[in-house]
Amino acid sequence: MFHGFVGGLAAVLLLLASCGESAMPPAVPASPSSAGGVVYPLMLDTPNGPLTIEDRPQRIVSLSPTATEMLFEIGAGDQVVAVDDQSNYPEGVPTTDLSGYEPNVEAIASYEPDLVVYATEPGDLGSSLEGLGIPALLQPAAATLEEAYGQIEQLGEVTDHVAEATDVVAEMRTDIDAIVATVSGDEGLTFYHELDDTYYSVTSSTFTGQLYEMVGLVNIADEAKGAGGGYPQLSAEYIIDADPDLIFLADTKCCGQSPSTVSRRPGWAGISAVERGDVIPLEEDVAQRWGPRVVEFLERIAGAVDEAKAAAA
């Protein structure tokens, strides 16, 4: 039946051609579309090279928890049909078993997305999706606040929520400036940020480390062996000798750490932060992402600095 249809179609085309060019309507080039304010097709420069978004995305798959938070914050949540298994905020996002770390292209494609946003490139995810005709936007972990702002604004442009994204960034800037202003001068307090219970930490060259630096804290990891990579593994002896004034735990969920477990570590009871009760548990998801909730993380840090100052006064 299919072959018969093809043959019939070919005969019709030959008949039209024999009647001269006037029988066929001239080809009309595709005209740009504007869904609300953004003109499509939209051309983007991305870490994986040029990317074209043909029209306003209606079926977005997010493989990045941070991108998920950004998309919903700028009002594009109704355009998101699926998110990865680590996306858990805001409440009610369409979580699936898709993985952003070990992505399955066929599983992603089964959601019929017209845009995939992801943060981790295993080597061929972007090209594999584009080979299927699915635009793939790579937004890797931001190295600075400005990069984080840029990603929010880029998602605003891609999804046709430019004004909302601009407002989100402006509000973040205002809130962060206000938080930093509450911490007066160079406090000089030292701190240790714990990523897991094997003592991996962050230096001031990382996104997280820069936030601590904004409120005047001094990072004990900056002088550690391997600090050049941004995420050195410290030793218990190094941390004890450094005697930080504050300890921030970003491993409360993954590793079950708390002020109580820290105080029971051999030799840690004598650390200034432990003695004074300045061991601060963090919400891991907030501490590890670079989206709008960075403001919450910075508030937590600044609050700890204020409490430590008041206790020392």
Side-chain angles (χ1 to χ4, degrees):
M1 181 176 179
F2 180 76
H3 292 295
F5 171 77
V6 173
L9 178 62
V12 171
L13 292 175
L14 285 171
L15 177 62
L16 290 172
S18 67
C19 296
E21 292 184 5
S22 61
M24 293 291 289
V28 179
S31 59
S33 65
S34 177
V38 175
V39 176
Y40 299 91
L42 182 65
M43 314 298 180
L44 301 175
D45 289 324
T46 79
N48 268 3
L51 176 66
T52 300
I53 309 296
E54 295 293 346
D55 209 341
R56 183 179 190 267
Q58 302 293 337
R59 297 186 59 82
I60 301 172
V61 170
S62 172
L63 302 178
S64 161
T66 298
T68 298
E69 294 190 18
M70 291 176 175
L71 286 164
F72 277 81
E73 189 70 18
I74 65 175
D78 60 353
Q79 295 162 252
V80 178
V81 296
V83 300
D84 70 296
D85 56 359
Q86 299 301 306
S87 289
N88 55 7
Y89 186 89
E91 185 177 353
V93 296
T95 305
T96 69
D97 59 0
L98 294 175
S99 172
Y101 297 105
E102 297 179 352
N104 181 315
V105 174
E106 290 183 0
I108 296 167
S110 71
Y111 289 92
E112 301 181 354
D114 49 19
L115 176 67
V116 173
V117 185
Y118 64 112
T120 304
E121 175 59 86
D124 59 358
L125 176 60
S127 59
S128 297
L129 288 171
E130 289 179 29
L132 296 175
I134 301 170
L137 174 59
L138 175 61
Q139 288 194 329
T144 64
L145 266 174
E146 290 302 320
E147 285 188 15
Y149 296 148
Q151 290 185 3
I152 295 171
E153 291 169 340
Q154 184 180 59
L155 287 176
E157 184 179 24
V158 168
T159 62
D160 198 23
H161 289 275
V162 173
E164 295 95 325
T166 300
D167 288 345
V168 168
V169 170
E171 185 175 356
M172 288 178 68
R173 289 184 186 275
T174 299
D175 290 345
I176 288 173
D177 287 346
I179 293 167
V180 172
T182 65
V183 184
S184 58
D186 182 8
E187 304 305 330
L189 296 174
T190 59
F191 79 97
Y192 160 57
H193 178 96
E194 183 168 287
L195 290 174
D196 65 19
D197 58 0
T198 66
Y199 311 138
Y200 273 97
S201 190
V202 299
T203 70
S204 298
S205 67
T206 65
F207 180 87
T208 302
Q210 290 170 49
L211 297 178
Y212 284 108
E213 197 171 38
M214 290 175 70
V215 295
L217 292 177
V218 178
N219 195 338
I220 69 166
D222 285 348
E223 301 301 323
K225 180 180 179 181
Y231 299 92
Q233 183 177 26
L234 311 183
S235 66
E237 293 77 11
Y238 180 92
I239 298 165
I240 293 168
D241 289 344
D243 190 26
D245 297 306
L246 296 159
I247 294 175
F248 294 90
L249 301 176
D251 54 357
T252 56
K253 184 167 64 174
C254 75
C255 310
Q257 296 305 296
S258 67
S260 177
T261 63
V262 169
S263 68
R264 294 196 299 270
R265 295 174 182 174
W268 286 56
I271 294 177
S272 296
V274 178
E275 284 185 328
R276 293 196 296 263
D278 289 327
V279 179
I280 299 95
L282 301 171
E283 187 177 343
E284 287 177 41
D285 293 338
V286 176
Q288 294 170 358
R289 297 173 189 174
W290 57 95
R293 291 197 292 168
V294 163
V295 174
E296 294 180 28
F297 181 43
L298 200 57
E299 282 178 337
R300 183 74 164 135
I301 298 170
V305 172
D306 286 340
E307 290 177 11
K309 276 171 49 184

